[in-house]
Amino acid sequence: MNYEQIPDITPEELIYISRQFANMFGFPVRLYNKNELVFFHSTANIIADPVSLCLDEIICKNEQISYYVYENAFYYGIVNCGQYKFITGPVTEIRLSDHDFNRLGFMLDIEKNDIPLFTSSMKSLSGIHLDTLIQAIIMYNFSVNRTMYNISDIRIKSKEQNNISSDIKESEISYTGETLFMNSSRTYAIERDMIKKVMNGDVDGLIDGATKIPAVSSGNLAPHLLRHSKNFFIKLETIMARTAIDAGLDVDEVFSIEEMYIRKCESLDNIDRIKNLQYHMVIDYADRVKKLRQYNGKNSKLVTEISGYIRNHISEPVKTSDIADYLGRSRGGITTEFKKQTGMNLSDFIKLKKIQEAQELLYATSQSLVMISNYLGFSSQSHFTRVFKEITGITPKEYRDKNHIIR
């Protein structure tokens, strides 16, 4: 059967099957007719549809059954049925934090007061493995298109497998141990030096040795220079991220930073910009470790718990009394102990974490300064600008312009 032809099924039957699918699995579903939404159903009251962030890419998927991965976090299942396109999701197989959902709500331009409701609704959706989603849409496809597929038909592409085999054979033929030996020792030494500097928060040392960063030999990571540069960036980013975690940075914070940098790298089409981003990324990790050491030399449980609370309430006007209540301790006691352990006032630490979040948003999104200010719970944009400059030495606009932010 040619699935591009209109199947022997009515629009009413498509809507009925789609609604039953949503009720059975708990995934939001949509039907598009020639790219126009004609049906939406969700068991959860989602006040803004996350699919809008990637709809253009999903609409372009023309296979009868396929799936789409958004930001390495969410899956969408897709079935084409004649002129109709069925889209289900988002679903995820990883445990996402309130912070992740809050940021997603921010990206969807949801009013700040409505973000907690959005987060609650998103967390109520089913969490499943990608293979389970594929099995579900295989059943949906059989119901509407009467064609039979297996998971391997969707996940495993024979052409891709052949390409992998060819690439491996070509690599085996072109490999020369002499070339590898000439570069590996120097590369390893530079890598270790960078790791040591990031681990120690040695920002000045990294800046002094900046010319070494692009000089690390990355091997032949891709046949095209642009892709090669991106692959090397991702390889280096992974090393720096793991180093930062070993140095004591919060795991969730590092993974969020890592995702932001990789997404930014993939959006670039200029090698010079990738190299500049690479330099910025290494310095950023070292700077975060340096600041961590300044206020948390011993990586205390108290600071870890406070950091986690601030991160999960980043869009609220966090107060020291809120943190004290959360930890079941007195406000005076917790601020005194925090100051003793870190040498930093708790109120200043709250501002620091908010500004670090602002830097990520300025770097990775095109949201306005007003929206970022509101999202982070500042009383006004001028207050946000004042605190940002107090922490970083420059204004939010200067930071965005300096770092070639996506607009």
Side-chain angles (χ1 to χ4, degrees):
M1 168 181 167
N2 183 349
Y3 73 87
E4 292 182 352
Q5 297 175 353
I6 299 177
D8 187 21
I9 187 170
T10 67
E12 291 76 16
E13 289 172 331
L14 269 178
I15 290 174
Y16 171 79
I17 295 171
S18 299
R19 180 183 289 109
Q20 296 307 315
F21 181 99
N23 292 337
M24 178 181 295
F25 293 104
F27 314 152
V29 301
R30 310 148 192 86
L31 275 177
Y32 284 83
N33 181 358
K34 295 181 178 178
N35 302 341
E36 180 181 349
L37 181 66
V38 294
F39 176 73
F40 174 86
H41 181 66
S42 174
T43 56
N45 181 26
I46 301 176
I47 58 179
D49 193 350
V51 80
S52 63
L53 298 175
C54 52
L55 183 59
D56 290 343
E57 291 87 347
I58 291 177
I59 289 295
C60 292
K61 304 283 278 187
N62 293 320
E63 303 93 333
Q64 189 170 70
I65 306 180
S66 60
Y67 62 90
Y68 180 82
V69 184
Y70 176 72
E71 301 293 0
N72 296 319
F74 295 108
Y75 301 126
Y76 290 91
I78 308 151
V79 176
N80 283 293
C81 180
Q83 64 195 38
Y84 290 92
K85 184 182 293 285
F86 170 83
I87 303 172
T88 185
V91 298
T92 184
E93 61 185 87
I94 59 177
R95 182 175 175 272
L96 298 175
S97 66
D98 286 353
H99 175 267
D100 297 317
F101 288 118
N102 289 345
R103 180 179 287 187
L104 182 65
F106 174 67
M107 296 292 293
L108 288 165
D109 294 329
I110 296 174
E111 291 291 333
K112 184 178 176 181
N113 291 339
D114 293 330
I115 285 182
L117 174 61
F118 171 78
T119 296
S120 176
S121 299
M122 288 294 296
K123 291 174 74 172
S124 71
L125 297 178
S126 301
I128 62 164
H129 191 275
L130 174 59
D131 286 351
T132 306
L133 173 64
I134 293 175
Q135 288 280 24
I137 61 175
I138 283 174
M139 292 297 296
Y140 180 93
N141 174 74
F142 182 74
S143 298
V144 300
N145 286 321
R146 308 303 293 177
T147 52
M148 295 181 287
Y149 286 86
N150 294 314
I151 280 189
S152 58
D153 298 323
I154 315 302
R155 292 292 300 272
I156 309 300
K157 309 294 184 184
S158 57
K159 180 180 179 181
E160 193 68 24
Q161 292 297 311
N162 292 334
N163 288 341
I164 293 171
S165 298
S166 299
D167 290 343
I168 290 174
K169 289 179 181 178
E170 184 178 340
S171 297
E172 289 173 349
I173 294 171
S174 62
Y175 164 79
T176 62
E178 181 181 359
T179 302
L180 178 64
F181 178 78
M182 289 171 61
N183 293 319
S184 60
S185 296
R186 179 171 178 272
T187 297
Y188 180 74
I190 294 174
E191 258 186 23
R192 296 308 304 173
D193 181 62
M194 290 168 57
I195 289 172
K196 180 180 178 181
K197 286 183 169 65
V198 171
M199 180 72 76
N200 293 328
D202 185 4
V203 177
D204 293 336
L206 282 169
I207 293 174
D208 289 341
T211 54
K212 290 183 178 180
I213 295 176
V216 178
S217 174
S218 54
N220 295 316
L221 296 180
H224 305 294
L225 192 55
L226 180 62
R227 185 67 256 172
H228 170 89
S229 299
K230 290 184 177 182
N231 289 351
F232 175 58
F233 177 95
I234 293 170
K235 173 185 174 184
L236 182 62
E237 212 288 339
T238 301
I239 294 172
M240 295 298 101
R242 299 307 176 268
T243 301
I245 290 173
D246 290 342
L249 284 185
D250 178 75
V251 174
D252 289 337
E253 179 181 355
V254 171
F255 283 171
S256 177
I257 298 167
E258 182 178 32
E259 180 183 322
M260 179 270 291
Y261 273 117
I262 291 176
R263 184 168 65 246
K264 173 66 176 176
C265 174
E266 291 290 2
S267 74
L268 301 178
D269 57 4
N270 180 287
I271 292 174
D272 286 336
R273 295 191 70 194
I274 293 173
K275 293 300 182 184
N276 277 275
L277 180 67
Q278 179 178 296
Y279 171 78
H280 184 281
M281 176 265 295
V282 175
I283 298 299
D284 184 20
Y285 275 121
D287 186 55
R288 289 172 185 269
V289 173
K290 179 181 178 181
K291 288 175 179 175
L292 175 74
R293 296 289 170 83
Q294 287 174 346
Y295 59 71
N296 185 22
K298 297 182 179 179
N299 301 326
S300 75
K301 180 182 178 182
L302 175 66
V303 176
T304 300
E305 288 179 335
I306 290 175
S307 296
Y309 179 87
I310 297 171
R311 183 172 180 79
N312 287 330
H313 296 80
I314 199 72
S315 62
E316 303 169 16
V318 179
K319 302 175 183 176
T320 54
S321 57
D322 297 330
I323 297 174
D325 291 342
Y326 169 73
L327 296 177
R329 301 173 60 174
S330 69
R331 180 178 177 276
I334 199 172
T335 53
T336 300
E337 184 177 346
F338 186 88
K339 176 75 171 180
K340 181 179 179 181
Q341 287 190 15
T342 67
M344 186 179 193
N345 291 326
L346 181 52
S347 57
D348 291 336
F349 181 68
I350 294 171
K351 289 192 292 186
L352 173 65
K353 301 305 285 185
K354 282 183 174 287
I355 296 308
Q356 287 179 342
E357 178 72 11
Q359 288 175 307
E360 290 187 40
L361 294 173
L362 286 166
Y363 208 94
T365 78
S366 59
Q367 299 287 14
S368 69
L369 302 186
V370 172
M371 293 189 67
I372 292 175
S373 171
N374 291 339
Y375 171 69
L376 293 175
F378 286 93
S379 58
S380 64
Q381 185 184 344
S382 61
H383 180 215
F384 168 57
T385 300
R386 185 169 65 254
V387 174
F388 192 98
K389 188 170 184 178
E390 175 188 328
I391 299 294
T392 67
I394 57 177
T395 67
K397 183 179 184 304
E398 289 169 339
Y399 180 87
R400 175 168 270 176
D401 291 341
K402 177 182 178 182
N403 292 287
H404 308 289
I405 302 307
I406 300 172
R407 291 175 172 82

